[in-house]
């Protein structure tokens, strides 16, 4: 008989990936099965094991939902199969998240569980809108309510609620907004009390609508407000104009496609989201290592070693067992990111050209070597590294070592166009991603004419123009930070 598994009932916080707790991240990494809803940041799923089972059981006003009984049955079934299950819920599982009902099902079946609290949207989403739920001299308390009626139609005691002096927070209250407003005013709440509605809080789609009890229903209709949204009622709303910060970020509201290798996409996406943007990942290349173990004997005849990409550094360093093999070598690097990766391995680049080109790196290596010296270039299968040409120009002996292959990922056109419907800007960090993207859309440039394109530098831009893509943004510093600087 299979041993019973275990279930983590965990909150993932609101939309910002970095509001996931460390314990929550660890649970996702450990899980054999992840049951998640529509309110979590989808990038949380990237922390899961490659073979983890993903089960989407979303509930919401805007899409087909699965009844809570089905969710309860699923987590019980998977745990009885002996799996570690992460039940990942937006916000906190105990703040109108029905986490208690799920735990009761586990308890009834004698299944072990742990509860991992999440950052509740009731305080974090107002904070992302610049609204503190308490503030000295304005609000000494805050009160959180569901915007839904009970199954039997029972409603809140608004006679008591209207008398509260603190901030009122209603979750899931868009459909019942007219009733909430009417009942508060009827029971004595001042019609001029400030109100804010925050849609899709803590994401780059966040939208804040401000009014008063007297005006908010009409404003909400005019702006076509839809869930998920939180309603804040109280004088603290007036602090928003002073305290707002999230919408002021450089990339706020911009939806950006990340096309690079999956292993590196996360780093780029993190930078986009830290600047307030939304990163959508759809890799068009895959990095495959080609190296075997590298010994000191293989490098003893060389005077210098040149790295022309961060990937080259990573792949090379993964194949050595003693860093002392560099002791006699001068080290050159193309680009600040390559230099940074070297430094993460406690290696300092002796030289780096101003232009991020391997030809310029080879030229600069002459200042650090002698005539007749052997120089090794660590590169990829598609890098424009012509050692025969270099050897004909300079009195050195250049060799290259292919550290990795860049494999194109050709996707279905419908998949690409569906993803593009969610974004505004496509980023290309190499010519190979441009090639694969072009093939994936069936060479149909017209289908992407309404999108903007960003390039990491002149070489990639030339490839884009060759196919007919516009170059709307081009980095002046040829790395991830440079392309983001151009886009913002």
């Amino acid at each position: 008989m299979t041993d019973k598994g275990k279930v983590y009932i965990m909150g993932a916080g609101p939309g910002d990936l970095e509001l996931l707790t460390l314990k929550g991240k660890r649970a996702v990494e450990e899980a054999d099965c992840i049951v998640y809803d529509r309110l979590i940041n989808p990038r949380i799923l990237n922390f899961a094991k490659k073979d983890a089972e993903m089960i989407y059981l979303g509930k919401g006003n805007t899409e087909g939902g699965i009844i809570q009984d089905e969710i309860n049955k699923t987590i019980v079934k998977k745990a009885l199969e002996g799996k570690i299950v992460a039940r990942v819920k937006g916000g906190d599982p105990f703040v109108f998240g029905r986490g208690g009902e799920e735990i009761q099902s586990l308890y009834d079946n004698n299944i072990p569980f742990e509860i991992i609290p999440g950052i509740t949207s009731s305080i974090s989403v107002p904070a992302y809108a610049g609204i503190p739920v308490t503030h000295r001299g304005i609000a000494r308390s805050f009160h959180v309510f569901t915007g839904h009626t009970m199954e039997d139609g029972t409603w809140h005691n608004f006679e008591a609620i209207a008398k509260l002096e603190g901030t009122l927070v209603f979750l899931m209250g868009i459909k019942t907004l007219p009733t909430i407003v009417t009942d508060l005013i009827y029971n004595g709440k001042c019609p001029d009390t400030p109100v804010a509605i925050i849609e899709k809080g803590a994401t780059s789609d966040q939208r804040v609508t401000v009014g008063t009890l007297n005006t908010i229903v009409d404003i909400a209709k005019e702006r076509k407000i839809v869930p998920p949204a939180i309603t804040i009622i109280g004088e603290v709303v007036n602090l928003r104009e002073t305290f707002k910060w999230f919408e002021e970020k450089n990339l706020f509201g911009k939806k950006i496609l990340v096309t690079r290798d999956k292993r590196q996409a996360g780093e780029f996406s993190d930078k986009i989201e830290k600047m307030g943007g939304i990163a959508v990942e759809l890799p068009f290349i895959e990095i495959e290592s080609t190296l075997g173990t590298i010994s000191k004997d293989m490098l003893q005849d060389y005077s210098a070693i040149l790295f022309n990409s961060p990937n080259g550094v990573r792949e090379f360093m993964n194949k050595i067992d003693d860093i002392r093999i560099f002791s006699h070598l001068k080290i050159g690097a193309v680009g600040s990111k390559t230099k940074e990766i070297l430094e993460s391995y406690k290696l300092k680049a002796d030289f780096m050209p101003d232009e991020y080109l391997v030809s310029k790196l080879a030229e600069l290596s002459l200042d650090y070597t002698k005539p007749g010296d052997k120089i090794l270039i660590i590169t990829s299968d598609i890098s424009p590294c012509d050692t025969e040409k270099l050897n004909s120009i300079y009195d050195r002996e250049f060799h290259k070592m292919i550290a990795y292959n860049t494999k194109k990922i050709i996707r279905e056109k419908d998949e690409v166009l569906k993803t593009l419907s969610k974004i505004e800007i496509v980023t290309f960090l190499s010519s190979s991603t441009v090639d694969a993207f072009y093939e994936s859309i069936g060479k149909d440039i017209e289908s992407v004419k309404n999108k903007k394109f960003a390039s990491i530098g002149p070489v990639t831009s030339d490839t884009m123009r060759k196919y007919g893509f516009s170059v709307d943004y081009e980095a002046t510093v040829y790395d991830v930070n440079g392309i983001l600087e151009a886009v913002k």
Side-chain angles (χ1 to χ4, degrees), residues 126-139:
Y128 267 61
I131 301 172
V133 292
T134 64
H135 189 78
R136 189 171 65 170
I138 297 177

Side-chain angles (χ1 to χ4, degrees), residues 426-435 437-438 445 451-474 483:
V426 179
T427 57
F428 291 127
L429 275 68
S430 67
S431 290
S432 53
T433 55
V434 183
D435 294 336
F437 183 89
Y438 183 62
I445 293 294
K451 303 301 175 186
K452 291 187 178 297
F453 294 89
S455 164
I456 197 169
V459 174
T460 301
S461 295
D462 287 345
T463 305
M464 291 165 64
R465 292 189 183 99
K466 179 180 73 175
Y467 292 135
F469 295 111
S470 62
V471 180
D472 301 287
Y473 311 97
E474 183 181 276
I483 202 169

Side-chain angles (χ1 to χ4, degrees), residues 9-13 37 40 68 87-93 97-99 102:
I9 302 293
M10 59 167 283
D37 66 30
I40 73 164
Q68 185 65 42
R87 167 64 174 123
V88 187
K89 306 162 75 73
D92 179 89
R98 304 184 76 168
E102 294 169 13

Side-chain angles (χ1 to χ4, degrees), residues 306-308 333-335 351-366 375 377 379 383-387 389-391 393-394 398 459:
L306 313 183
F307 293 95
N308 78 335
V334 167
F351 52 96
M352 183 178 78
D354 292 332
E355 292 184 67
Y356 290 11
L357 298 171
V358 68
S359 59
K360 295 297 182 182
L361 180 63
E363 182 181 349
L364 189 57
S365 71
L366 304 183
I375 299 171
I377 303 174
T379 186
S383 176
C385 178
D386 187 344
T387 51
K389 182 178 179 181
L390 294 175
N391 290 334
I393 298 173
Y394 306 120
F398 288 91
V459 174

Side-chain angles (χ1 to χ4, degrees), residues 386-420:
D386 187 344
T387 51
E388 288 187 12
K389 182 178 179 181
L390 294 175
N391 290 334
S392 69
I393 298 173
Y394 306 120
D395 55 356
R396 305 290 190 275
E397 188 177 331
F398 288 91
H399 296 254
K400 67 179 177 181
M401 179 183 286
I402 305 299
Y404 61 95
N405 290 334
T406 303
K407 177 183 176 183
K408 291 191 291 186
I409 299 174
I410 308 303
R411 299 185 176 275
E412 293 294 328
K413 182 178 179 180
D414 288 346
E415 177 193 11
V416 178
L417 295 183
K418 183 179 178 181
T419 303
L420 289 178

Side-chain angles (χ1 to χ4, degrees), residues 66-120:
I66 305 295
I67 60 174
Q68 185 65 42
D69 283 349
E70 182 66 21
I71 296 173
N72 297 347
K73 289 175 184 176
T74 299
I75 59 176
V76 168
K77 177 176 180 290
K78 293 301 174 181
L80 290 176
E81 292 173 3
K83 294 182 177 180
I84 295 173
V85 181
R87 167 64 174 123
V88 187
K89 306 162 75 73
D92 179 89
F94 283 177
V95 182
F96 307 125
R98 304 184 76 168
E101 296 171 47
E102 294 169 13
I103 289 169
Q104 186 65 54
S105 295
L106 298 172
Y107 177 81
D108 291 344
N109 287 275
N110 199 29
I111 294 169
F113 63 86
E114 282 189 33
I115 301 163
I116 303 178
I119 298 177
T120 172

Side-chain angles (χ1 to χ4, degrees), residues 38-191:
R38 73 187 182 99
L39 295 179
I40 73 164
N41 187 313
R43 291 186 59 216
I44 288 172
L45 302 179
N46 292 342
F47 295 126
K49 297 185 291 191
K50 284 185 177 180
D51 59 349
E53 182 181 7
M54 301 290 180
I55 301 176
Y56 171 69
L57 296 180
K59 298 188 298 177
N61 296 326
T62 58
E63 60 183 75
I66 305 295
I67 60 174
Q68 185 65 42
D69 283 349
E70 182 66 21
I71 296 173
N72 297 347
K73 289 175 184 176
T74 299
I75 59 176
V76 168
K77 177 176 180 290
K78 293 301 174 181
L80 290 176
E81 292 173 3
K83 294 182 177 180
I84 295 173
V85 181
R87 167 64 174 123
V88 187
K89 306 162 75 73
D92 179 89
F94 283 177
V95 182
F96 307 125
R98 304 184 76 168
E101 296 171 47
E102 294 169 13
I103 289 169
Q104 186 65 54
S105 295
L106 298 172
Y107 177 81
D108 291 344
N109 287 275
N110 199 29
I111 294 169
F113 63 86
E114 282 189 33
I115 301 163
I116 303 178
I119 298 177
T120 172
S121 59
S122 61
I123 56 173
S124 57
V125 167
Y128 267 61
I131 301 172
V133 292
T134 64
H135 189 78
R136 189 171 65 170
I138 297 177
R140 298 174 62 188
S141 63
F142 67 96
H143 312 269
V144 183
F145 305 93
T146 175
H148 290 169
T149 58
M150 294 183 67
E151 289 181 5
D152 62 3
T154 304
W155 191 227
H156 297 299
N157 180 356
F158 275 93
E159 183 179 357
I161 293 173
K163 292 181 174 64
L164 295 171
E165 295 182 358
T167 304
L168 308 180
V169 181
F170 286 87
L171 308 184
M172 305 170 293
I174 297 306
K175 285 188 175 180
T176 55
L177 181 65
T179 305
I180 292 169
V181 167
T182 300
D183 284 354
L184 284 172
I185 293 175
Y186 176 79
N187 286 283
K189 200 75 172 173
C190 176

